[in-house]
Amino acid sequence: MRFSILGETLARHEDGTEVALGGPARRALLTLLLVRPGEVVSADLLAEETAPHGATSTHALHSQVSRLRAALGPAAIERAGAGYRVTVSQEDVDACRFERLAREGREALDAGDAARAVPLLREALGLWRGPALADLAESRTAGAAAARLEEGRLAALEDRIEAELRLGGHRGVAAELRELVGRHPLRERLAGLLIRALAAEGGQGEALVVFEETRRHLADELGSDPSADLSALHRELLSAGPSSGPTAPPAQLTSFVGRATEVEEVASLLRTARLVTLIGPGGVGKTRLSVEVAAGSGDEVCFVELAQVREGADPAQAVLGALGLRESGLQLGPAGQTPVQRLVMALSDRALLLVLDNCEHLVDGAALLAGRLLAACPRLRVLATSREPLAVIGENLWPVRPLDDTAAARLFTDRAAAVRRGPAPDPETVGRICAALDNLPLAIELAAARLRTLEPEDLAGRLDDRLGIGAARGNRSAEERHRTLRALVAWSWELLSESEQRAARRFTVFAGGAAPDAARRVCGADGETLESLIDKSLLEVAGGRYRMLETIRAYGAEQLAAAGEAEDVRAVHARLLLDLVRAADPDTRGAGQLRRLAALSAEHGNLLAALAWTVDAGRWETGLELLASASSYLWIRGVRSSVSPQAAALLEGVGTQVPEGFGEEYAVCVLLAAAGDGGAAVWRRHRERAGRELAAAWPGDRTGRYPVVLLSWMMRNATESDPGGAFAFVSAQHDCGDPWVRAAARYVAGFGPLGDGDCAGAEAAFAEAADGFRAVGDRWGRALALDVLAGLAGARGDRAGAVALTDEALALTQELGALEDSADLLVNRGDHVVDADPVAAGADYAQAAALARSAGSPAGLAAALRGLGDMALLEADPGGAGRLYAEALERADPHWVKSAGNRVRILAGLSRVAGLRGDGVTARARAREAAAYARTLTGRDTREALRILGLPEPLTEAVSRM
């Protein structure tokens, strides 16, 4: 006989039939005896614990034992002294078997045998049916045993997930771990496992969010810091590089059927051809084939979903985002590069497979982009999917055809089994169904989903009537197959209930999917309706977000327009996005920064879609509010130029009449419009008025609505000939009630004494700013302040302090995924240690160069190359130094104040190289060029200008003498 106490207490005969145990008292009695099978439990304890609200009498206890013996057999329970015991083997009790299997699984895991550990642990966990000792919920004795078992269950679960991670199963456990961490936020091992799973999927940014949330929970609930193991994992994440990387191919929710040979052939073609385009009608399986090919690629893969990009928009922005690259650093310097130029630099020496999915509505832009990147990036390969060729020189076309009959039947049977229990459909009927659907994979999946409510024969008959098999099915053109799919989508749509149709057509306004709450609000539907659409293959769910296949979305958008709901639903969608970014805005500058930035990044496509609608519909106020409310996210995440076209269009729409009460939003719009192409003209036209509007919104005695605009305004004006006014404007907020604004004001105020040579006063202001940003939890502002403090420490000879401050700032920029700023800080660290440890400095310069190349940052690369040039001089290699300095000078931005110090050092380095070659004329010319540039930039004499720009004293002396 087998006994179960991991859940409701049960007893079963060997044949599996259940024993009738009787009421709660008898179940409680048996449960208490089974906690430690074979051990004696005193009658007094049994009497007390099985009736916690009043002890059972001796006679009643004996009666209950007798009835249990009658049910289980007289030998099952025996009297022993002053108590009773159950005479069963430990292997006959599920709790004992669980503990044995869990122990063996842990031992296998400790021995490095994850493959053996997984089945043992799965078997152990499979024994659980509910809470341990559920029939003794109020027993003190059983409570301790239940707690022990529940802890063992959780530990075994962690062991099983650990083993699966070691075997490469990160995709399968991430969702489970998210749920577990939500239920056990203080359990550090679970957090660590989730961090590892997310990092393995390329979600380093999300992994850092998990660490930060766990750290906060530990501090708030226990007053403790993360353990050494979790802290080490955090450091490992940071040292691994950027916190955001290329977008991986989307996880597939169903099996891949019938194209194994095509996968191999397309992969083989990509080894010799650098551009392959998969072409075919909608629903034929182009995207799925591209995903499978990419999954087997030996190179790094970046998957770009172009379906969410608006027709006529620049696909380069989408590629930049999919690569996890920022458009600018945290310093908000002038962009100076188009997205294509940044991509060319980032991919110039990178072995990458770039998958451009759904190019048909952007075919001209996709073709131009692919051609430019392939010409400039020799190790890049491109796999595109489209309904028509890109028509680029060197393009290899691969027509994706419908499945063959065998594969189509297998696909239908697989999907049918997922929605309908029982025997497989008749093969002949399956063949008729697939034939009517032209063997198109999407059509087959839609039809198979209908087997929840239709019999296979009924389904086949309806499809015959609706679509017609046709004698020439196998010879149909792509256009005819597309009509077949459209007819099937229309038929599936007509079978939806009215509420399901309404939800499905409204969902089409989302670009890039939707979180459940957002979908329910915009669709006007409950969760049950959305789940029904998933069941019918009209929606998919992955990564906690709903999404709709593009073929279905296109049809649904037509239905939305036909219903006359498009404007109203898009207005609801825009309002949803406005509410979302407004709610998130304070956190983007606070302790929830990483979490909020990640959440807003997931909604970026929806934000762009909502902004585009406000422009098309002339909803200027809503558009201005959207941009202003999202401004912190746009600046800190480094994606402000992605909204520049919409910002410029809003300015054109507003014209000379700024809506009453929207002056601050207008100023934000000007700043964002100025970040894109043609930004200089926009800035000249609107700067003066935007400044007045911003001054009115932040007069010093009260606060505006969008604090980040102050720092952004100062940084933009710092590149102009008269930045003093901007500094004074922001500094006026010293006594502002918003602690973030006060920190920003102190940061800006520090530049006044710094320019006047008052290093102590500047250091005090920047230290206050760093403390203020730390107090509110903002990594962006804190990194900016720490960077300046490190420079001041280095200038006064405190090398150790400068390095410590730089390391602290570097950890923050890495958490924010700011590769460009990380590269800049590595150069700074190299400069601090170069005299004491040239080997370490050289490593920092080299790492900075690699990061800057990956980020597509010419200014960052210029600084790193300058450092490497300095190293070449130290190693007595003037030729190498000259080449490095020359390349650095070519890439340095002469118009950005942040790059000024490096440009001066590059010119000084070229002067030194010329001097070593005996070319005194060139040496003096380069030194004078450096001095003149420094004087022009700062308005000070040579020596003071060089000091302000941070040149070391020996270099300042050398340039001044020239």
Side-chain angles (χ1 to χ4, degrees), residues 777-810:
D778 176 31
R779 294 159 179 79
W780 177 40
R782 189 168 147 213
L784 297 179
L786 290 170
D787 184 20
V788 185
L789 285 170
L792 289 168
R796 69 167 189 267
D798 182 5
R799 181 183 294 113
V803 170
L805 289 164
T806 302
D807 285 345
E808 188 178 350
L810 188 58

PDB file of all heavy atoms in Angstrom, residues 777-810:
ATOM      1  N   GLY A 777      18.364  57.667  -5.824  1.00  0.00           N
ATOM      2  CA  GLY A 777      18.552  56.419  -6.564  1.00  0.00           C
ATOM      3  C   GLY A 777      18.800  56.582  -8.041  1.00  0.00           C
ATOM      4  O   GLY A 777      18.675  55.616  -8.810  1.00  0.00           O
ATOM      5  N   ASP A 778      19.191  57.795  -8.481  1.00  0.00           N
ATOM      6  CA  ASP A 778      19.405  58.033  -9.908  1.00  0.00           C
ATOM      7  C   ASP A 778      20.853  57.745 -10.313  1.00  0.00           C
ATOM      8  O   ASP A 778      21.780  58.412  -9.854  1.00  0.00           O
ATOM      9  CB  ASP A 778      19.070  59.486 -10.252  1.00  0.00           C
ATOM     10  CG  ASP A 778      19.376  59.808 -11.712  1.00  0.00           C
ATOM     11  OD1 ASP A 778      19.262  58.894 -12.548  1.00  0.00           O
ATOM     12  OD2 ASP A 778      19.738  60.951 -12.004  1.00  0.00           O
ATOM     13  N   ARG A 779      21.028  56.750 -11.163  1.00  0.00           N
ATOM     14  CA  ARG A 779      22.361  56.373 -11.633  1.00  0.00           C
ATOM     15  C   ARG A 779      22.917  57.374 -12.643  1.00  0.00           C
ATOM     16  O   ARG A 779      24.124  57.577 -12.723  1.00  0.00           O
ATOM     17  CB  ARG A 779      22.315  54.981 -12.267  1.00  0.00           C
ATOM     18  CG  ARG A 779      21.996  53.885 -11.271  1.00  0.00           C
ATOM     19  CD  ARG A 779      21.463  52.650 -11.976  1.00  0.00           C
ATOM     20  NE  ARG A 779      21.170  51.581 -11.030  1.00  0.00           N
ATOM     21  CZ  ARG A 779      20.083  51.531 -10.275  1.00  0.00           C
ATOM     22  NH1 ARG A 779      19.187  52.495 -10.351  1.00  0.00           N
ATOM     23  NH2 ARG A 779      19.877  50.535  -9.447  1.00  0.00           N
ATOM     24  N   TRP A 780      22.038  57.957 -13.444  1.00  0.00           N
ATOM     25  CA  TRP A 780      22.468  58.882 -14.496  1.00  0.00           C
ATOM     26  C   TRP A 780      23.183  60.095 -13.904  1.00  0.00           C
ATOM     27  O   TRP A 780      24.351  60.358 -14.176  1.00  0.00           O
ATOM     28  CB  TRP A 780      21.233  59.315 -15.302  1.00  0.00           C
ATOM     29  CG  TRP A 780      21.495  60.321 -16.376  1.00  0.00           C
ATOM     30  CD1 TRP A 780      22.565  60.375 -17.220  1.00  0.00           C
ATOM     31  CD2 TRP A 780      20.654  61.434 -16.728  1.00  0.00           C
ATOM     32  NE1 TRP A 780      22.438  61.434 -18.084  1.00  0.00           N
ATOM     33  CE2 TRP A 780      21.273  62.100 -17.806  1.00  0.00           C
ATOM     34  CE3 TRP A 780      19.439  61.909 -16.247  1.00  0.00           C
ATOM     35  CZ2 TRP A 780      20.714  63.240 -18.407  1.00  0.00           C
ATOM     36  CZ3 TRP A 780      18.882  63.033 -16.859  1.00  0.00           C
ATOM     37  CH2 TRP A 780      19.513  63.684 -17.923  1.00  0.00           C
ATOM     38  N   GLY A 781      22.459  60.859 -13.069  1.00  0.00           N
ATOM     39  CA  GLY A 781      23.057  62.051 -12.485  1.00  0.00           C
ATOM     40  C   GLY A 781      24.254  61.724 -11.610  1.00  0.00           C
ATOM     41  O   GLY A 781      25.252  62.459 -11.600  1.00  0.00           O
ATOM     42  N   ARG A 782      24.159  60.615 -10.877  1.00  0.00           N
ATOM     43  CA  ARG A 782      25.268  60.236 -10.000  1.00  0.00           C
ATOM     44  C   ARG A 782      26.528  59.937 -10.811  1.00  0.00           C
ATOM     45  O   ARG A 782      27.635  60.347 -10.437  1.00  0.00           O
ATOM     46  CB  ARG A 782      24.855  59.019  -9.189  1.00  0.00           C
ATOM     47  CG  ARG A 782      25.829  58.633  -8.080  1.00  0.00           C
ATOM     48  CD  ARG A 782      25.177  57.612  -7.188  1.00  0.00           C
ATOM     49  NE  ARG A 782      26.103  56.662  -6.639  1.00  0.00           N
ATOM     50  CZ  ARG A 782      25.817  55.396  -6.373  1.00  0.00           C
ATOM     51  NH1 ARG A 782      24.604  54.931  -6.647  1.00  0.00           N
ATOM     52  NH2 ARG A 782      26.706  54.586  -5.846  1.00  0.00           N
ATOM     53  N   ALA A 783      26.374  59.254 -11.932  1.00  0.00           N
ATOM     54  CA  ALA A 783      27.537  58.953 -12.777  1.00  0.00           C
ATOM     55  C   ALA A 783      28.162  60.229 -13.318  1.00  0.00           C
ATOM     56  O   ALA A 783      29.394  60.362 -13.368  1.00  0.00           O
ATOM     57  CB  ALA A 783      27.123  58.035 -13.927  1.00  0.00           C
ATOM     58  N   LEU A 784      27.324  61.196 -13.715  1.00  0.00           N
ATOM     59  CA  LEU A 784      27.848  62.468 -14.217  1.00  0.00           C
ATOM     60  C   LEU A 784      28.668  63.178 -13.143  1.00  0.00           C
ATOM     61  O   LEU A 784      29.773  63.678 -13.413  1.00  0.00           O
ATOM     62  CB  LEU A 784      26.692  63.367 -14.669  1.00  0.00           C
ATOM     63  CG  LEU A 784      25.819  62.880 -15.830  1.00  0.00           C
ATOM     64  CD1 LEU A 784      24.723  63.894 -16.122  1.00  0.00           C
ATOM     65  CD2 LEU A 784      26.652  62.634 -17.071  1.00  0.00           C
ATOM     66  N   ALA A 785      28.118  63.239 -11.931  1.00  0.00           N
ATOM     67  CA  ALA A 785      28.820  63.949 -10.852  1.00  0.00           C
ATOM     68  C   ALA A 785      30.102  63.225 -10.453  1.00  0.00           C
ATOM     69  O   ALA A 785      31.149  63.855 -10.215  1.00  0.00           O
ATOM     70  CB  ALA A 785      27.886  64.094  -9.653  1.00  0.00           C
ATOM     71  N   LEU A 786      30.050  61.899 -10.358  1.00  0.00           N
ATOM     72  CA  LEU A 786      31.240  61.131  -9.975  1.00  0.00           C
ATOM     73  C   LEU A 786      32.361  61.282 -11.006  1.00  0.00           C
ATOM     74  O   LEU A 786      33.551  61.305 -10.658  1.00  0.00           O
ATOM     75  CB  LEU A 786      30.875  59.651  -9.819  1.00  0.00           C
ATOM     76  CG  LEU A 786      30.004  59.295  -8.613  1.00  0.00           C
ATOM     77  CD1 LEU A 786      29.518  57.855  -8.727  1.00  0.00           C
ATOM     78  CD2 LEU A 786      30.782  59.494  -7.308  1.00  0.00           C
ATOM     79  N   ASP A 787      31.992  61.373 -12.267  1.00  0.00           N
ATOM     80  CA  ASP A 787      32.991  61.547 -13.327  1.00  0.00           C
ATOM     81  C   ASP A 787      33.782  62.830 -13.103  1.00  0.00           C
ATOM     82  O   ASP A 787      35.020  62.843 -13.170  1.00  0.00           O
ATOM     83  CB  ASP A 787      32.265  61.578 -14.678  1.00  0.00           C
ATOM     84  CG  ASP A 787      33.228  61.670 -15.848  1.00  0.00           C
ATOM     85  OD1 ASP A 787      34.423  61.347 -15.680  1.00  0.00           O
ATOM     86  OD2 ASP A 787      32.778  62.046 -16.950  1.00  0.00           O
ATOM     87  N   VAL A 788      33.079  63.925 -12.805  1.00  0.00           N
ATOM     88  CA  VAL A 788      33.772  65.198 -12.569  1.00  0.00           C
ATOM     89  C   VAL A 788      34.592  65.130 -11.283  1.00  0.00           C
ATOM     90  O   VAL A 788      35.732  65.617 -11.225  1.00  0.00           O
ATOM     91  CB  VAL A 788      32.771  66.362 -12.497  1.00  0.00           C
ATOM     92  CG1 VAL A 788      33.518  67.693 -12.384  1.00  0.00           C
ATOM     93  CG2 VAL A 788      31.880  66.380 -13.727  1.00  0.00           C
ATOM     94  N   LEU A 789      34.033  64.519 -10.238  1.00  0.00           N
ATOM     95  CA  LEU A 789      34.772  64.401  -8.973  1.00  0.00           C
ATOM     96  C   LEU A 789      36.057  63.597  -9.156  1.00  0.00           C
ATOM     97  O   LEU A 789      37.099  63.916  -8.553  1.00  0.00           O
ATOM     98  CB  LEU A 789      33.885  63.732  -7.918  1.00  0.00           C
ATOM     99  CG  LEU A 789      32.784  64.597  -7.304  1.00  0.00           C
ATOM    100  CD1 LEU A 789      31.844  63.744  -6.467  1.00  0.00           C
ATOM    101  CD2 LEU A 789      33.395  65.719  -6.451  1.00  0.00           C
ATOM    102  N   ALA A 790      36.001  62.558  -9.984  1.00  0.00           N
ATOM    103  CA  ALA A 790      37.212  61.766 -10.243  1.00  0.00           C
ATOM    104  C   ALA A 790      38.269  62.612 -10.928  1.00  0.00           C
ATOM    105  O   ALA A 790      39.466  62.528 -10.591  1.00  0.00           O
ATOM    106  CB  ALA A 790      36.859  60.554 -11.110  1.00  0.00           C
ATOM    107  N   GLY A 791      37.832  63.449 -11.878  1.00  0.00           N
ATOM    108  CA  GLY A 791      38.792  64.334 -12.536  1.00  0.00           C
ATOM    109  C   GLY A 791      39.424  65.315 -11.576  1.00  0.00           C
ATOM    110  O   GLY A 791      40.638  65.577 -11.634  1.00  0.00           O
ATOM    111  N   LEU A 792      38.643  65.853 -10.654  1.00  0.00           N
ATOM    112  CA  LEU A 792      39.179  66.792  -9.662  1.00  0.00           C
ATOM    113  C   LEU A 792      40.142  66.093  -8.709  1.00  0.00           C
ATOM    114  O   LEU A 792      41.181  66.655  -8.325  1.00  0.00           O
ATOM    115  CB  LEU A 792      38.026  67.430  -8.886  1.00  0.00           C
ATOM    116  CG  LEU A 792      37.172  68.435  -9.670  1.00  0.00           C
ATOM    117  CD1 LEU A 792      35.900  68.773  -8.906  1.00  0.00           C
ATOM    118  CD2 LEU A 792      37.978  69.704  -9.958  1.00  0.00           C
ATOM    119  N   ALA A 793      39.802  64.868  -8.306  1.00  0.00           N
ATOM    120  CA  ALA A 793      40.706  64.121  -7.424  1.00  0.00           C
ATOM    121  C   ALA A 793      42.028  63.847  -8.118  1.00  0.00           C
ATOM    122  O   ALA A 793      43.109  63.978  -7.518  1.00  0.00           O
ATOM    123  CB  ALA A 793      40.042  62.808  -6.995  1.00  0.00           C
ATOM    124  N   GLY A 794      41.963  63.467  -9.390  1.00  0.00           N
ATOM    125  CA  GLY A 794      43.187  63.216 -10.136  1.00  0.00           C
ATOM    126  C   GLY A 794      44.020  64.471 -10.284  1.00  0.00           C
ATOM    127  O   GLY A 794      45.262  64.426 -10.200  1.00  0.00           O
ATOM    128  N   ALA A 795      43.355  65.619 -10.474  1.00  0.00           N
ATOM    129  CA  ALA A 795      44.075  66.878 -10.668  1.00  0.00           C
ATOM    130  C   ALA A 795      44.848  67.291  -9.422  1.00  0.00           C
ATOM    131  O   ALA A 795      45.900  67.929  -9.517  1.00  0.00           O
ATOM    132  CB  ALA A 795      43.092  67.976 -11.068  1.00  0.00           C
ATOM    133  N   ARG A 796      44.350  66.924  -8.247  1.00  0.00           N
ATOM    134  CA  ARG A 796      45.071  67.295  -7.022  1.00  0.00           C
ATOM    135  C   ARG A 796      46.028  66.203  -6.556  1.00  0.00           C
ATOM    136  O   ARG A 796      46.575  66.255  -5.455  1.00  0.00           O
ATOM    137  CB  ARG A 796      44.083  67.648  -5.925  1.00  0.00           C
ATOM    138  CG  ARG A 796      43.257  66.525  -5.369  1.00  0.00           C
ATOM    139  CD  ARG A 796      42.543  66.948  -4.071  1.00  0.00           C
ATOM    140  NE  ARG A 796      41.919  65.804  -3.444  1.00  0.00           N
ATOM    141  CZ  ARG A 796      40.669  65.416  -3.635  1.00  0.00           C
ATOM    142  NH1 ARG A 796      39.898  66.106  -4.471  1.00  0.00           N
ATOM    143  NH2 ARG A 796      40.183  64.350  -3.040  1.00  0.00           N
ATOM    144  N   GLY A 797      46.199  65.170  -7.398  1.00  0.00           N
ATOM    145  CA  GLY A 797      47.182  64.131  -7.103  1.00  0.00           C
ATOM    146  C   GLY A 797      46.666  62.949  -6.330  1.00  0.00           C
ATOM    147  O   GLY A 797      47.445  62.074  -5.937  1.00  0.00           O
ATOM    148  N   ASP A 798      45.352  62.879  -6.099  1.00  0.00           N
ATOM    149  CA  ASP A 798      44.769  61.758  -5.357  1.00  0.00           C
ATOM    150  C   ASP A 798      44.408  60.647  -6.355  1.00  0.00           C
ATOM    151  O   ASP A 798      43.252  60.474  -6.720  1.00  0.00           O
ATOM    152  CB  ASP A 798      43.539  62.224  -4.587  1.00  0.00           C
ATOM    153  CG  ASP A 798      42.910  61.101  -3.758  1.00  0.00           C
ATOM    154  OD1 ASP A 798      43.480  59.994  -3.702  1.00  0.00           O
ATOM    155  OD2 ASP A 798      41.823  61.342  -3.183  1.00  0.00           O
ATOM    156  N   ARG A 799      45.431  59.874  -6.758  1.00  0.00           N
ATOM    157  CA  ARG A 799      45.206  58.848  -7.776  1.00  0.00           C
ATOM    158  C   ARG A 799      44.236  57.773  -7.277  1.00  0.00           C
ATOM    159  O   ARG A 799      43.331  57.365  -7.993  1.00  0.00           O
ATOM    160  CB  ARG A 799      46.531  58.214  -8.181  1.00  0.00           C
ATOM    161  CG  ARG A 799      46.377  57.144  -9.254  1.00  0.00           C
ATOM    162  CD  ARG A 799      47.703  56.477  -9.591  1.00  0.00           C
ATOM    163  NE  ARG A 799      48.627  57.396 -10.209  1.00  0.00           N
ATOM    164  CZ  ARG A 799      49.767  57.824  -9.668  1.00  0.00           C
ATOM    165  NH1 ARG A 799      50.109  57.402  -8.452  1.00  0.00           N
ATOM    166  NH2 ARG A 799      50.560  58.648 -10.308  1.00  0.00           N
ATOM    167  N   ALA A 800      44.406  57.315  -6.051  1.00  0.00           N
ATOM    168  CA  ALA A 800      43.545  56.255  -5.516  1.00  0.00           C
ATOM    169  C   ALA A 800      42.087  56.719  -5.453  1.00  0.00           C
ATOM    170  O   ALA A 800      41.158  55.980  -5.794  1.00  0.00           O
ATOM    171  CB  ALA A 800      44.029  55.823  -4.137  1.00  0.00           C
ATOM    172  N   GLY A 801      41.886  57.959  -4.997  1.00  0.00           N
ATOM    173  CA  GLY A 801      40.534  58.489  -4.934  1.00  0.00           C
ATOM    174  C   GLY A 801      39.913  58.622  -6.313  1.00  0.00           C
ATOM    175  O   GLY A 801      38.734  58.324  -6.509  1.00  0.00           O
ATOM    176  N   ALA A 802      40.704  59.064  -7.279  1.00  0.00           N
ATOM    177  CA  ALA A 802      40.204  59.218  -8.644  1.00  0.00           C
ATOM    178  C   ALA A 802      39.781  57.876  -9.223  1.00  0.00           C
ATOM    179  O   ALA A 802      38.733  57.765  -9.869  1.00  0.00           O
ATOM    180  CB  ALA A 802      41.275  59.861  -9.523  1.00  0.00           C
ATOM    181  N   VAL A 803      40.596  56.847  -8.978  1.00  0.00           N
ATOM    182  CA  VAL A 803      40.269  55.519  -9.494  1.00  0.00           C
ATOM    183  C   VAL A 803      39.006  54.973  -8.828  1.00  0.00           C
ATOM    184  O   VAL A 803      38.131  54.394  -9.496  1.00  0.00           O
ATOM    185  CB  VAL A 803      41.457  54.560  -9.298  1.00  0.00           C
ATOM    186  CG1 VAL A 803      41.048  53.123  -9.595  1.00  0.00           C
ATOM    187  CG2 VAL A 803      42.620  54.967 -10.190  1.00  0.00           C
ATOM    188  N   ALA A 804      38.883  55.146  -7.513  1.00  0.00           N
ATOM    189  CA  ALA A 804      37.701  54.644  -6.798  1.00  0.00           C
ATOM    190  C   ALA A 804      36.429  55.321  -7.303  1.00  0.00           C
ATOM    191  O   ALA A 804      35.400  54.666  -7.522  1.00  0.00           O
ATOM    192  CB  ALA A 804      37.864  54.874  -5.299  1.00  0.00           C
ATOM    193  N   LEU A 805      36.481  56.643  -7.501  1.00  0.00           N
ATOM    194  CA  LEU A 805      35.317  57.373  -8.000  1.00  0.00           C
ATOM    195  C   LEU A 805      34.981  56.948  -9.431  1.00  0.00           C
ATOM    196  O   LEU A 805      33.807  56.807  -9.793  1.00  0.00           O
ATOM    197  CB  LEU A 805      35.584  58.875  -7.943  1.00  0.00           C
ATOM    198  CG  LEU A 805      35.617  59.491  -6.536  1.00  0.00           C
ATOM    199  CD1 LEU A 805      36.272  60.866  -6.557  1.00  0.00           C
ATOM    200  CD2 LEU A 805      34.202  59.589  -5.976  1.00  0.00           C
ATOM    201  N   THR A 806      36.011  56.738 -10.238  1.00  0.00           N
ATOM    202  CA  THR A 806      35.783  56.298 -11.617  1.00  0.00           C
ATOM    203  C   THR A 806      35.162  54.909 -11.642  1.00  0.00           C
ATOM    204  O   THR A 806      34.250  54.637 -12.436  1.00  0.00           O
ATOM    205  CB  THR A 806      37.106  56.301 -12.402  1.00  0.00           C
ATOM    206  OG1 THR A 806      37.662  57.618 -12.378  1.00  0.00           O
ATOM    207  CG2 THR A 806      36.881  55.878 -13.847  1.00  0.00           C
ATOM    208  N   ASP A 807      35.655  54.019 -10.790  1.00  0.00           N
ATOM    209  CA  ASP A 807      35.084  52.663 -10.731  1.00  0.00           C
ATOM    210  C   ASP A 807      33.613  52.705 -10.343  1.00  0.00           C
ATOM    211  O   ASP A 807      32.781  51.956 -10.884  1.00  0.00           O
ATOM    212  CB  ASP A 807      35.860  51.807  -9.719  1.00  0.00           C
ATOM    213  CG  ASP A 807      37.207  51.369 -10.255  1.00  0.00           C
ATOM    214  OD1 ASP A 807      37.426  51.464 -11.477  1.00  0.00           O
ATOM    215  OD2 ASP A 807      38.042  50.923  -9.448  1.00  0.00           O
ATOM    216  N   GLU A 808      33.275  53.592  -9.405  1.00  0.00           N
ATOM    217  CA  GLU A 808      31.882  53.707  -8.979  1.00  0.00           C
ATOM    218  C   GLU A 808      31.013  54.212 -10.126  1.00  0.00           C
ATOM    219  O   GLU A 808      29.916  53.696 -10.377  1.00  0.00           O
ATOM    220  CB  GLU A 808      31.791  54.659  -7.785  1.00  0.00           C
ATOM    221  CG  GLU A 808      30.420  54.694  -7.135  1.00  0.00           C
ATOM    222  CD  GLU A 808      30.379  55.620  -5.918  1.00  0.00           C
ATOM    223  OE1 GLU A 808      31.439  56.087  -5.468  1.00  0.00           O
ATOM    224  OE2 GLU A 808      29.249  55.882  -5.439  1.00  0.00           O
ATOM    225  N   ALA A 809      31.515  55.207 -10.839  1.00  0.00           N
ATOM    226  CA  ALA A 809      30.764  55.725 -11.990  1.00  0.00           C
ATOM    227  C   ALA A 809      30.652  54.675 -13.085  1.00  0.00           C
ATOM    228  O   ALA A 809      29.613  54.545 -13.746  1.00  0.00           O
ATOM    229  CB  ALA A 809      31.450  56.976 -12.529  1.00  0.00           C
ATOM    230  N   LEU A 810      31.712  53.905 -13.283  1.00  0.00           N
ATOM    231  CA  LEU A 810      31.725  52.873 -14.325  1.00  0.00           C
ATOM    232  C   LEU A 810      30.671  51.805 -14.049  1.00  0.00           C
ATOM    233  O   LEU A 810      29.982  51.343 -14.971  1.00  0.00           O
ATOM    234  CB  LEU A 810      33.117  52.253 -14.408  1.00  0.00           C
ATOM    235  CG  LEU A 810      33.404  51.283 -15.551  1.00  0.00           C
ATOM    236  CD1 LEU A 810      33.175  51.945 -16.898  1.00  0.00           C
ATOM    237  CD2 LEU A 810      34.833  50.775 -15.448  1.00  0.00           C
TER     238      LEU A 810
END
